[in-house]
Amino acid sequence: MAWQQRTFAVVELHRLAHYPVRAQFAALGAQAAVRAIARVAGAYANRRATKKRAHVFRPHDAVAYDARLMSWNRDARTVSLWTLTGRVTVPYVGRPEDLKAVDTLPLGEADLIFRRGVWLLQVMRPAPVR
């Protein structure tokens, strides 16, 4: 839709695509649609070369999660992730310093990525408030 309409800015793309995408994918929640639209806009952002042809997303491309799409149970070391088929709760592991960061720091966004046949959740710290 972004390529067909030559609309690449996130706000304009949101206005163009939000309701049609939600209608086409009935199980897609509003926040998931917002994240998907932002992902498409990000693929075209600040890259003139990418605006010369349509971007092709892979079937196992990264999925961006924010606090509205995931929740943490730090005591049980699990994270609950929103999916099209409902929430899934998965255990998490990491190096001791990573686990300490998850236990003590506020959590921001995370990307669910597929690498070498394994799904990984890359957690990012929230940006400091200025």
Side-chain angles (χ1 to χ4, degrees), residues 93-112:
V93 296
R95 299 175 300 189
E97 59 269 21
D98 297 332
L99 294 174
K100 182 178 179 187
V102 169
D103 287 344
T104 58
L105 295 172
L107 300 171
E109 292 186 355
D111 282 341
L112 184 63

Side-chain angles (χ1 to χ4, degrees), residues 2-3 7-10 13 35-58 61:
W3 180 252
T7 302
F8 305 114
V10 70
L13 188 56
R35 300 302 304 155
I37 290 166
R39 183 63 129 205
V40 171
Y44 288 103
N46 300 321
R47 298 182 200 118
R48 290 185 186 157
T50 61
K51 294 177 184 166
K52 294 180 181 175
R53 60 182 166 76
H55 184 82
V56 178
F57 291 91
R58 299 175 306 218
D61 235 349

Side-chain angles (χ1 to χ4, degrees), residues 28-43 57 59-72 79-84 87 108-114 119-124:
L28 194 65
Q31 187 59 26
V34 168
R35 300 302 304 155
I37 290 166
R39 183 63 129 205
V40 171
F57 291 91
H60 288 99
D61 235 349
V63 178
Y65 280 85
D66 64 13
R68 291 162 282 210
L69 297 173
M70 67 179 174
S71 61
W72 297 85
V79 61
S80 174
L81 302 171
W82 177 90
T83 71
L84 283 173
R87 284 198 165 263
E109 292 186 355
D111 282 341
L112 184 63
I113 62 170
F114 191 71
W119 288 100
L120 303 170
L121 192 64
Q122 288 184 325
V123 180
M124 283 73 79

Side-chain angles (χ1 to χ4, degrees), residues 12 20 56 60 67 75 92 118:
E12 287 80 13
V56 178
H60 288 99
D75 294 333
Y92 62 86
V118 177

